[in-house]
Amino acid sequence: MRAVVIHAPHDLRIETRPVTEPGPHQVRVSIRAGGICGSDLHYYHHGGFGTVRLKEPMVLGHEVAGVIDAIGPGTSHLRVGDRVAVSPSLPCGQCRYCQSAQHQHCLDMRFFGSAMRFPHVHGAFRESLVCEAVQAHPIADGADISEAAFAEPLAVCLHAARRAGSLFGKRVLVTGCGPIGALAILVARSAGALQVVATDIAPSALAMALRLGADHALDTASDSDALKGFEHDKGQFDVLLEASGNQRALVGALAALRPGAVIVQLGLGGDMTLPVNLIVAKELELRGTFRFHEEFALAVDMIGRRAIDVRPLLTATIPVDKAKDAFELASDRTKAMKVQIAFGP
């Protein structure tokens, strides 16, 4: 089988790897679609992010869906031919965090396409993938496999919304309208937000935000005072979903948040310097959000019912033998929202 392997920054290769058989409680999935994520781009351009660095060649990818073509012993709820989205997350189930239902903080987590541990956990950008049966979630008949490959980033946003608390009837600000910010807009709308306002610096991203249901999409590059109209009476927004990972975006939004508002930091862009006095004076709540667990099954279900329609986010599908072209396109925010790699037929 072919696999997409990163060796060093911009050294991306299509390599042949052996096809393996599933063991007990495992299935083998013929991967059909794989979405390129921001972390994949960090490995492609920089060889890692933060303190996480490539120490050996690694298969990339963790946003995938495909068709089961083999089943190992002990699995009865899945069948050969089932179309599935594959959760990249495999917590141990035994550590203190798994036992307290905080699986995303597992002390022995294995996550596809991650260099956080050594040897690295190879990713899912390959034509054939063996995974645990619990990681394979059947796709509804009405949904396309390319839609199902959005389950992982949608699960990230569903977990972020859970961290924010109820969004019903709330005024929500989303800063950063890349794939995660765009999905956050869809999640906020689905959760019953009264108003959703988005900010970004790219016109194409702002146009997409409006298409997805944002009430306003504000260009903070051309107008540094774009949020000024929401700052009266100590601020108007109840919740900030910060998806850019940019200090200027977060700090620039604080004046538009009402006292007691909740900030959920989705974007990762390095350490920030924050105006703590303002956060204290307005009694703002800053909450982190990290990955997901049970939200993956919810994401697959919502995509299958089109309770959330991810189709507008798919910019292009590029065959695996042109994976480097796919990574280059995915790196250009002026041209792409989400780029997927096509595997198999």
Side-chain angles (χ1 to χ4, degrees):
M1 66 168 174
R2 292 173 295 178
V4 180
V5 183
I6 188 72
H7 285 251
H10 297 119
D11 186 2
L12 189 72
R13 308 179 193 179
I14 308 301
E15 298 180 354
T16 301
R17 298 290 175 96
V19 174
T20 57
E21 296 299 320
H25 307 292
Q26 292 182 329
V27 297
R28 189 175 67 202
V29 181
S30 175
I31 299 298
R32 299 293 172 81
I36 297 174
C37 173
S39 62
D40 296 319
L41 293 175
H42 277 292
Y43 286 123
Y44 176 67
H45 289 292
H46 311 295
F49 49 91
T51 60
V52 178
R53 295 286 132 188
L54 282 172
K55 297 179 182 177
E56 62 180 351
M58 182 179 75
V59 179
L60 287 173
H62 57 267
E63 300 179 8
V64 297
V67 179
I68 293 177
D69 64 15
I71 296 179
T75 298
S76 59
H77 67 289
L78 296 169
R79 297 285 186 271
V80 170
D82 283 353
R83 302 180 314 139
V84 294
V86 180
S87 173
S89 177
L90 185 62
C92 72
Q94 303 298 318
C95 72
R96 58 183 290 196
Y97 296 110
C98 288
Q99 291 296 307
S100 63
Q102 294 177 289
H103 297 81
Q104 69 273 21
H105 297 293
C106 174
L107 295 173
D108 193 25
M109 174 68 77
R110 301 187 68 82
F111 196 93
F112 285 143
S114 172
M116 288 185 178
R117 57 193 295 165
F118 185 84
H120 301 333
V121 182
H122 289 292
F125 281 176
R126 55 178 99 180
E127 291 176 312
S128 180
L129 173 71
V130 171
C131 66
E132 300 300 315
V134 295
Q135 293 175 273
H137 296 255
I139 305 165
D141 291 340
D144 190 79
I145 284 180
S146 63
E147 295 176 71
F150 279 88
E152 193 273 346
L154 178 56
V156 168
C157 294
L158 290 170
H159 184 68
R162 174 177 288 187
R163 294 285 297 139
S166 174
L167 299 180
F168 184 80
K170 301 292 179 65
R171 299 183 187 275
V172 178
L173 175 62
V174 178
T175 50
C177 298
I180 292 296
L183 287 167
I185 292 169
L186 290 172
V187 168
R189 276 297 181 215
S190 175
L194 173 66
Q195 182 183 44
V196 179
V197 175
T199 68
D200 203 282
I201 60 173
S204 58
L206 294 167
M208 178 61 72
L210 291 173
R211 182 179 175 188
L212 297 176
D215 295 290
H216 304 282
L218 307 177
D219 188 341
T220 52
S222 63
D223 181 5
S224 59
D225 292 326
L227 284 170
K228 200 74 174 176
F230 298 94
E231 295 179 1
H232 61 280
D233 296 336
K234 293 190 176 182
Q236 301 300 303
F237 293 108
D238 304 291
V239 175
L240 167 61
L241 300 176
E242 205 302 293
S244 73
N246 184 284
Q247 176 178 311
R248 290 183 63 185
L250 173 56
V251 173
L254 296 183
L257 303 183
R258 66 159 179 80
V262 172
I263 303 165
V264 178
Q265 187 60 43
L266 266 161
L268 294 173
D271 292 336
M272 299 182 184
T273 300
L274 302 180
V276 174
N277 287 349
L278 177 59
I279 292 173
V280 169
K282 296 185 76 170
E283 297 185 325
L284 302 176
E285 297 185 36
L286 176 60
R287 302 177 185 177
T289 181
F290 185 64
R291 290 182 180 164
F292 53 85
H293 185 61
E294 62 264 37
E295 293 90 354
F296 191 88
L298 177 60
V300 175
D301 177 70
M302 295 185 80
I303 289 171
R305 292 184 291 111
R306 297 229 170 97
I308 288 183
D309 189 355
V310 299
R311 290 175 295 177
L313 277 65
L314 182 57
T315 304
T317 301
I318 296 176
V320 63
D321 57 354
K322 296 183 179 179
K324 193 161 187 176
D325 292 342
F327 272 75
E328 289 294 331
L329 176 59
S331 302
D332 188 344
R333 287 200 67 209
T334 67
K335 296 180 180 178
M337 176 62 70
K338 176 63 70 175
V339 176
Q340 290 184 353
I341 296 174
F343 300 83

